[in-house]
Amino acid sequence: MTSTSAKNNGLSAALVSNLQDVLSKRRGGSEEGTVSDGSAEEAPSTSDSVDVSAAEKEIDDSKPIVLVTNGDGIDSPGLVSLVEALVREGLYNVYVCAPQTDKSAAAHSTTPGETIAASSTNINGATAFEVSGTPVDCISLGLSGALFAWSKPILVISGINQGSSCGHQMFYSGAVAGAREALISGVPSLSISLNWKKDESQESDFKDAVGVCLPLINATIRDIEKGVFPKDCSLNIEIPTSPSSNKGFKVTKQSVWRQSPCWQAVSANRHPGAGNFMSNQQSLGAQLAQLGRDASAAGAARRFTTQKKSIVEIESVGVAGKTDSRVKKYFRLEFVTKEQELTDEDLDVKALEDGFVSVTPLPLCPKKDSEIQAAASEWISKALNADQ
């Protein structure tokens, strides 16, 4: 690395070179980002980190733009089935900006202060990027003008999620958060989930789910163009476990149902070192920052070990009172579905379990809930009748 690069990073050239050697050893040898003399390449500037013109196909101005994201990751069958169907329709310019990995429980989290990588990927007929961030990062980036040449899409669709996002589960759902972020940014949005059941569902159910919700997607875009689609709310669409045998659409209210969090203790012999592995997509700056954090943590551990010889390792660390040793334990969070007795036919989870496609309006302002519920119900009724 040149002295100029070192100066821009706020690090000396010798330190950067040393850290780069550590990076290379962690990866098992030289990789992309390290030149033959062992020095680090400069990270690309923001302005040329994404070549939009090379990544995007020509836009047909006569077709509205639809932006798709999800919470399960860009390779998930729900997203791929939805995108392929939208492309086959031939009615829209389809763009995808979705998480690189599963972020289904990321909720409305963002990744400020860290470098986010957006890598072009291939989904036939669509312009697609996988992003090393959350669903909200994806939508925020996609709508920012930094990634795509166009200004704003006509609609954002988040899904199809593998698993229900009913009730209070919406607060955890990355898919619902992606749609909510679009609404906050002034773009109409839909979130779509399939009520996936482990021993009952199969991948082909996603194609059936697309067939179920496609008429509603088309009606949404048609009426957005006409200016008659309900404003100030996003629609959360929940598709039953057997999509092809659904009983029809039902406008519902958000319930208080949620899966129960279950914390499982993990053997203390298992070291959580995997959490320190760094993605190959990270920039040099992010990797150096991680090395700095690792070095600080290692130094603190060494200092602590010299003072206290009796240490039991665990994942979350706490100091109990004034004891002479620290206790460290490992835990893993899982969500468990518990049966609940529901009697209100208008609740999302009740309609879903009864075999209906649940459509729940989600307003940004709770005070407008009843008003928006009525407007959305009227629109859905008219939209579906118009398509028949």
Side-chain angles (χ1 to χ4, degrees), residues 235-259:
L235 299 183
N236 183 51
I237 303 166
E238 299 284 329
I239 300 172
T241 306
S242 299
S244 57
S245 58
N246 76 85
K247 297 179 181 178
F249 290 82
K250 178 179 279 192
V251 180
T252 53
K253 297 180 292 185
Q254 182 180 359
S255 64
V256 295
W257 174 86
R258 73 160 181 159
Q259 293 177 312

PDB file of all heavy atoms in Angstrom, residues 235-259:
ATOM      1  N   LEU A 235     -49.512  -3.544   2.801  1.00  0.00           N
ATOM      2  CA  LEU A 235     -50.360  -4.720   2.957  1.00  0.00           C
ATOM      3  C   LEU A 235     -49.493  -5.938   3.248  1.00  0.00           C
ATOM      4  O   LEU A 235     -48.570  -6.242   2.484  1.00  0.00           O
ATOM      5  CB  LEU A 235     -51.191  -4.966   1.684  1.00  0.00           C
ATOM      6  CG  LEU A 235     -52.171  -3.868   1.259  1.00  0.00           C
ATOM      7  CD1 LEU A 235     -52.944  -4.313   0.027  1.00  0.00           C
ATOM      8  CD2 LEU A 235     -53.125  -3.514   2.395  1.00  0.00           C
ATOM      9  N   ASN A 236     -49.800  -6.617   4.342  1.00  0.00           N
ATOM     10  CA  ASN A 236     -49.103  -7.859   4.675  1.00  0.00           C
ATOM     11  C   ASN A 236     -49.975  -9.037   4.249  1.00  0.00           C
ATOM     12  O   ASN A 236     -51.084  -9.229   4.770  1.00  0.00           O
ATOM     13  CB  ASN A 236     -48.808  -7.945   6.172  1.00  0.00           C
ATOM     14  CG  ASN A 236     -48.013  -9.187   6.505  1.00  0.00           C
ATOM     15  OD1 ASN A 236     -46.985  -9.476   5.894  1.00  0.00           O
ATOM     16  ND2 ASN A 236     -48.491  -9.964   7.472  1.00  0.00           N
ATOM     17  N   ILE A 237     -49.486  -9.820   3.288  1.00  0.00           N
ATOM     18  CA  ILE A 237     -50.250 -10.921   2.707  1.00  0.00           C
ATOM     19  C   ILE A 237     -49.707 -12.236   3.251  1.00  0.00           C
ATOM     20  O   ILE A 237     -48.524 -12.541   3.100  1.00  0.00           O
ATOM     21  CB  ILE A 237     -50.157 -10.900   1.167  1.00  0.00           C
ATOM     22  CG1 ILE A 237     -50.640  -9.544   0.634  1.00  0.00           C
ATOM     23  CG2 ILE A 237     -50.946 -12.047   0.550  1.00  0.00           C
ATOM     24  CD1 ILE A 237     -50.285  -9.306  -0.820  1.00  0.00           C
ATOM     25  N   GLU A 238     -50.567 -13.000   3.893  1.00  0.00           N
ATOM     26  CA  GLU A 238     -50.192 -14.295   4.466  1.00  0.00           C
ATOM     27  C   GLU A 238     -50.923 -15.396   3.698  1.00  0.00           C
ATOM     28  O   GLU A 238     -52.150 -15.423   3.649  1.00  0.00           O
ATOM     29  CB  GLU A 238     -50.568 -14.349   5.947  1.00  0.00           C
ATOM     30  CG  GLU A 238     -49.869 -13.297   6.799  1.00  0.00           C
ATOM     31  CD  GLU A 238     -48.415 -13.649   7.066  1.00  0.00           C
ATOM     32  OE1 GLU A 238     -48.097 -14.845   7.148  1.00  0.00           O
ATOM     33  OE2 GLU A 238     -47.598 -12.719   7.200  1.00  0.00           O
ATOM     34  N   ILE A 239     -50.155 -16.312   3.106  1.00  0.00           N
ATOM     35  CA  ILE A 239     -50.712 -17.367   2.264  1.00  0.00           C
ATOM     36  C   ILE A 239     -50.726 -18.674   3.049  1.00  0.00           C
ATOM     37  O   ILE A 239     -49.726 -19.037   3.673  1.00  0.00           O
ATOM     38  CB  ILE A 239     -49.895 -17.514   0.970  1.00  0.00           C
ATOM     39  CG1 ILE A 239     -49.926 -16.179   0.209  1.00  0.00           C
ATOM     40  CG2 ILE A 239     -50.423 -18.643   0.099  1.00  0.00           C
ATOM     41  CD1 ILE A 239     -49.013 -16.131  -0.985  1.00  0.00           C
ATOM     42  N   PRO A 240     -51.856 -19.406   3.046  1.00  0.00           N
ATOM     43  CA  PRO A 240     -51.950 -20.633   3.856  1.00  0.00           C
ATOM     44  C   PRO A 240     -51.010 -21.730   3.373  1.00  0.00           C
ATOM     45  O   PRO A 240     -50.472 -21.670   2.268  1.00  0.00           O
ATOM     46  CB  PRO A 240     -53.421 -21.040   3.706  1.00  0.00           C
ATOM     47  CG  PRO A 240     -53.875 -20.395   2.443  1.00  0.00           C
ATOM     48  CD  PRO A 240     -53.106 -19.120   2.318  1.00  0.00           C
ATOM     49  N   THR A 241     -50.842 -22.735   4.214  1.00  0.00           N
ATOM     50  CA  THR A 241     -49.887 -23.811   3.968  1.00  0.00           C
ATOM     51  C   THR A 241     -50.126 -24.518   2.639  1.00  0.00           C
ATOM     52  O   THR A 241     -49.176 -24.902   1.951  1.00  0.00           O
ATOM     53  CB  THR A 241     -49.931 -24.823   5.127  1.00  0.00           C
ATOM     54  OG1 THR A 241     -49.722 -24.116   6.353  1.00  0.00           O
ATOM     55  CG2 THR A 241     -48.860 -25.885   4.971  1.00  0.00           C
ATOM     56  N   SER A 242     -51.385 -24.706   2.267  1.00  0.00           N
ATOM     57  CA  SER A 242     -51.719 -25.311   0.969  1.00  0.00           C
ATOM     58  C   SER A 242     -52.277 -24.213   0.071  1.00  0.00           C
ATOM     59  O   SER A 242     -53.497 -24.005   0.021  1.00  0.00           O
ATOM     60  CB  SER A 242     -52.733 -26.440   1.138  1.00  0.00           C
ATOM     61  OG  SER A 242     -52.210 -27.461   1.960  1.00  0.00           O
ATOM     62  N   PRO A 243     -51.405 -23.471  -0.621  1.00  0.00           N
ATOM     63  CA  PRO A 243     -51.853 -22.294  -1.377  1.00  0.00           C
ATOM     64  C   PRO A 243     -52.927 -22.608  -2.422  1.00  0.00           C
ATOM     65  O   PRO A 243     -53.872 -21.838  -2.589  1.00  0.00           O
ATOM     66  CB  PRO A 243     -50.563 -21.795  -2.055  1.00  0.00           C
ATOM     67  CG  PRO A 243     -49.461 -22.357  -1.238  1.00  0.00           C
ATOM     68  CD  PRO A 243     -49.951 -23.679  -0.748  1.00  0.00           C
ATOM     69  N   SER A 244     -52.789 -23.722  -3.133  1.00  0.00           N
ATOM     70  CA  SER A 244     -53.712 -24.021  -4.238  1.00  0.00           C
ATOM     71  C   SER A 244     -55.125 -24.341  -3.769  1.00  0.00           C
ATOM     72  O   SER A 244     -56.069 -24.289  -4.554  1.00  0.00           O
ATOM     73  CB  SER A 244     -53.166 -25.186  -5.075  1.00  0.00           C
ATOM     74  OG  SER A 244     -52.963 -26.322  -4.265  1.00  0.00           O
ATOM     75  N   SER A 245     -55.283 -24.666  -2.479  1.00  0.00           N
ATOM     76  CA  SER A 245     -56.621 -24.987  -1.962  1.00  0.00           C
ATOM     77  C   SER A 245     -57.119 -23.917  -0.994  1.00  0.00           C
ATOM     78  O   SER A 245     -57.927 -24.200  -0.100  1.00  0.00           O
ATOM     79  CB  SER A 245     -56.618 -26.360  -1.284  1.00  0.00           C
ATOM     80  OG  SER A 245     -55.671 -26.403  -0.226  1.00  0.00           O
ATOM     81  N   ASN A 246     -56.627 -22.687  -1.149  1.00  0.00           N
ATOM     82  CA  ASN A 246     -57.056 -21.615  -0.252  1.00  0.00           C
ATOM     83  C   ASN A 246     -58.531 -21.292  -0.445  1.00  0.00           C
ATOM     84  O   ASN A 246     -59.119 -21.557  -1.499  1.00  0.00           O
ATOM     85  CB  ASN A 246     -56.196 -20.367  -0.462  1.00  0.00           C
ATOM     86  CG  ASN A 246     -56.555 -19.611  -1.715  1.00  0.00           C
ATOM     87  OD1 ASN A 246     -57.465 -18.783  -1.726  1.00  0.00           O
ATOM     88  ND2 ASN A 246     -55.848 -19.903  -2.809  1.00  0.00           N
ATOM     89  N   LYS A 247     -59.140 -20.684   0.585  1.00  0.00           N
ATOM     90  CA  LYS A 247     -60.577 -20.374   0.579  1.00  0.00           C
ATOM     91  C   LYS A 247     -60.875 -18.956   0.108  1.00  0.00           C
ATOM     92  O   LYS A 247     -62.019 -18.504   0.200  1.00  0.00           O
ATOM     93  CB  LYS A 247     -61.146 -20.586   1.979  1.00  0.00           C
ATOM     94  CG  LYS A 247     -61.059 -22.031   2.452  1.00  0.00           C
ATOM     95  CD  LYS A 247     -61.625 -22.176   3.862  1.00  0.00           C
ATOM     96  CE  LYS A 247     -61.525 -23.612   4.358  1.00  0.00           C
ATOM     97  NZ  LYS A 247     -62.032 -23.744   5.752  1.00  0.00           N
ATOM     98  N   GLY A 248     -59.863 -18.246  -0.382  1.00  0.00           N
ATOM     99  CA  GLY A 248     -60.072 -16.885  -0.845  1.00  0.00           C
ATOM    100  C   GLY A 248     -59.382 -15.875   0.045  1.00  0.00           C
ATOM    101  O   GLY A 248     -58.735 -16.230   1.033  1.00  0.00           O
ATOM    102  N   PHE A 249     -59.530 -14.601  -0.315  1.00  0.00           N
ATOM    103  CA  PHE A 249     -58.882 -13.524   0.426  1.00  0.00           C
ATOM    104  C   PHE A 249     -59.786 -13.027   1.547  1.00  0.00           C
ATOM    105  O   PHE A 249     -61.005 -12.978   1.410  1.00  0.00           O
ATOM    106  CB  PHE A 249     -58.556 -12.347  -0.508  1.00  0.00           C
ATOM    107  CG  PHE A 249     -57.455 -12.646  -1.480  1.00  0.00           C
ATOM    108  CD1 PHE A 249     -57.721 -13.342  -2.657  1.00  0.00           C
ATOM    109  CD2 PHE A 249     -56.159 -12.213  -1.247  1.00  0.00           C
ATOM    110  CE1 PHE A 249     -56.705 -13.623  -3.561  1.00  0.00           C
ATOM    111  CE2 PHE A 249     -55.145 -12.473  -2.152  1.00  0.00           C
ATOM    112  CZ  PHE A 249     -55.419 -13.187  -3.307  1.00  0.00           C
ATOM    113  N   LYS A 250     -59.151 -12.638   2.641  1.00  0.00           N
ATOM    114  CA  LYS A 250     -59.900 -12.052   3.760  1.00  0.00           C
ATOM    115  C   LYS A 250     -59.089 -10.902   4.339  1.00  0.00           C
ATOM    116  O   LYS A 250     -57.910 -11.055   4.672  1.00  0.00           O
ATOM    117  CB  LYS A 250     -60.169 -13.093   4.838  1.00  0.00           C
ATOM    118  CG  LYS A 250     -60.896 -12.520   6.057  1.00  0.00           C
ATOM    119  CD  LYS A 250     -61.177 -13.578   7.110  1.00  0.00           C
ATOM    120  CE  LYS A 250     -62.406 -14.384   6.755  1.00  0.00           C
ATOM    121  NZ  LYS A 250     -62.852 -15.225   7.891  1.00  0.00           N
ATOM    122  N   VAL A 251     -59.732  -9.733   4.463  1.00  0.00           N
ATOM    123  CA  VAL A 251     -59.072  -8.593   5.111  1.00  0.00           C
ATOM    124  C   VAL A 251     -59.079  -8.838   6.617  1.00  0.00           C
ATOM    125  O   VAL A 251     -60.127  -9.132   7.201  1.00  0.00           O
ATOM    126  CB  VAL A 251     -59.779  -7.271   4.788  1.00  0.00           C
ATOM    127  CG1 VAL A 251     -59.072  -6.104   5.471  1.00  0.00           C
ATOM    128  CG2 VAL A 251     -59.815  -7.046   3.296  1.00  0.00           C
ATOM    129  N   THR A 252     -57.924  -8.750   7.242  1.00  0.00           N
ATOM    130  CA  THR A 252     -57.782  -9.135   8.643  1.00  0.00           C
ATOM    131  C   THR A 252     -57.130  -8.038   9.472  1.00  0.00           C
ATOM    132  O   THR A 252     -56.630  -7.047   8.941  1.00  0.00           O
ATOM    133  CB  THR A 252     -56.930 -10.422   8.750  1.00  0.00           C
ATOM    134  OG1 THR A 252     -55.695 -10.229   8.041  1.00  0.00           O
ATOM    135  CG2 THR A 252     -57.669 -11.610   8.161  1.00  0.00           C
ATOM    136  N   LYS A 253     -57.135  -8.267  10.769  1.00  0.00           N
ATOM    137  CA  LYS A 253     -56.464  -7.372  11.720  1.00  0.00           C
ATOM    138  C   LYS A 253     -55.257  -8.100  12.308  1.00  0.00           C
ATOM    139  O   LYS A 253     -55.260  -9.323  12.431  1.00  0.00           O
ATOM    140  CB  LYS A 253     -57.428  -6.974  12.847  1.00  0.00           C
ATOM    141  CG  LYS A 253     -58.629  -6.176  12.374  1.00  0.00           C
ATOM    142  CD  LYS A 253     -59.538  -5.816  13.543  1.00  0.00           C
ATOM    143  CE  LYS A 253     -60.220  -7.048  14.122  1.00  0.00           C
ATOM    144  NZ  LYS A 253     -61.205  -6.691  15.180  1.00  0.00           N
ATOM    145  N   GLN A 254     -54.266  -7.324  12.685  1.00  0.00           N
ATOM    146  CA  GLN A 254     -53.078  -7.914  13.285  1.00  0.00           C
ATOM    147  C   GLN A 254     -53.416  -8.476  14.659  1.00  0.00           C
ATOM    148  O   GLN A 254     -53.988  -7.802  15.506  1.00  0.00           O
ATOM    149  CB  GLN A 254     -51.967  -6.873  13.406  1.00  0.00           C
ATOM    150  CG  GLN A 254     -50.670  -7.429  13.978  1.00  0.00           C
ATOM    151  CD  GLN A 254     -49.579  -6.377  14.098  1.00  0.00           C
ATOM    152  OE1 GLN A 254     -49.785  -5.220  13.731  1.00  0.00           O
ATOM    153  NE2 GLN A 254     -48.425  -6.765  14.622  1.00  0.00           N
ATOM    154  N   SER A 255     -53.058  -9.725  14.875  1.00  0.00           N
ATOM    155  CA  SER A 255     -53.299 -10.375  16.159  1.00  0.00           C
ATOM    156  C   SER A 255     -52.112 -10.142  17.089  1.00  0.00           C
ATOM    157  O   SER A 255     -51.146  -9.458  16.721  1.00  0.00           O
ATOM    158  CB  SER A 255     -53.508 -11.878  15.947  1.00  0.00           C
ATOM    159  OG  SER A 255     -52.317 -12.477  15.432  1.00  0.00           O
ATOM    160  N   VAL A 256     -52.164 -10.743  18.270  1.00  0.00           N
ATOM    161  CA  VAL A 256     -51.043 -10.658  19.208  1.00  0.00           C
ATOM    162  C   VAL A 256     -50.265 -11.977  19.226  1.00  0.00           C
ATOM    163  O   VAL A 256     -49.423 -12.197  20.103  1.00  0.00           O
ATOM    164  CB  VAL A 256     -51.521 -10.304  20.635  1.00  0.00           C
ATOM    165  CG1 VAL A 256     -52.131  -8.918  20.649  1.00  0.00           C
ATOM    166  CG2 VAL A 256     -52.504 -11.349  21.163  1.00  0.00           C
ATOM    167  N   TRP A 257     -50.535 -12.843  18.254  1.00  0.00           N
ATOM    168  CA  TRP A 257     -49.860 -14.135  18.185  1.00  0.00           C
ATOM    169  C   TRP A 257     -48.377 -13.937  17.894  1.00  0.00           C
ATOM    170  O   TRP A 257     -47.983 -13.036  17.172  1.00  0.00           O
ATOM    171  CB  TRP A 257     -50.482 -14.976  17.077  1.00  0.00           C
ATOM    172  CG  TRP A 257     -49.768 -16.280  16.831  1.00  0.00           C
ATOM    173  CD1 TRP A 257     -49.969 -17.457  17.474  1.00  0.00           C
ATOM    174  CD2 TRP A 257     -48.729 -16.528  15.871  1.00  0.00           C
ATOM    175  NE1 TRP A 257     -49.136 -18.429  16.978  1.00  0.00           N
ATOM    176  CE2 TRP A 257     -48.357 -17.891  15.997  1.00  0.00           C
ATOM    177  CE3 TRP A 257     -48.067 -15.746  14.925  1.00  0.00           C
ATOM    178  CZ2 TRP A 257     -47.370 -18.473  15.212  1.00  0.00           C
ATOM    179  CZ3 TRP A 257     -47.078 -16.328  14.145  1.00  0.00           C
ATOM    180  CH2 TRP A 257     -46.736 -17.671  14.299  1.00  0.00           C
ATOM    181  N   ARG A 258     -47.563 -14.807  18.460  1.00  0.00           N
ATOM    182  CA  ARG A 258     -46.152 -14.851  18.114  1.00  0.00           C
ATOM    183  C   ARG A 258     -45.587 -16.217  18.492  1.00  0.00           C
ATOM    184  O   ARG A 258     -46.159 -16.935  19.324  1.00  0.00           O
ATOM    185  CB  ARG A 258     -45.345 -13.763  18.804  1.00  0.00           C
ATOM    186  CG  ARG A 258     -45.114 -13.990  20.288  1.00  0.00           C
ATOM    187  CD  ARG A 258     -43.951 -13.177  20.794  1.00  0.00           C
ATOM    188  NE  ARG A 258     -43.707 -13.403  22.214  1.00  0.00           N
ATOM    189  CZ  ARG A 258     -42.559 -13.149  22.804  1.00  0.00           C
ATOM    190  NH1 ARG A 258     -41.550 -12.646  22.112  1.00  0.00           N
ATOM    191  NH2 ARG A 258     -42.388 -13.376  24.088  1.00  0.00           N
ATOM    192  N   GLN A 259     -44.486 -16.566  17.874  1.00  0.00           N
ATOM    193  CA  GLN A 259     -43.763 -17.760  18.279  1.00  0.00           C
ATOM    194  C   GLN A 259     -43.006 -17.456  19.566  1.00  0.00           C
ATOM    195  O   GLN A 259     -42.542 -16.340  19.777  1.00  0.00           O
ATOM    196  CB  GLN A 259     -42.784 -18.192  17.183  1.00  0.00           C
ATOM    197  CG  GLN A 259     -43.463 -18.663  15.915  1.00  0.00           C
ATOM    198  CD  GLN A 259     -42.457 -19.011  14.839  1.00  0.00           C
ATOM    199  OE1 GLN A 259     -41.543 -18.246  14.573  1.00  0.00           O
ATOM    200  NE2 GLN A 259     -42.629 -20.162  14.220  1.00  0.00           N
TER     201      GLN A 259
END
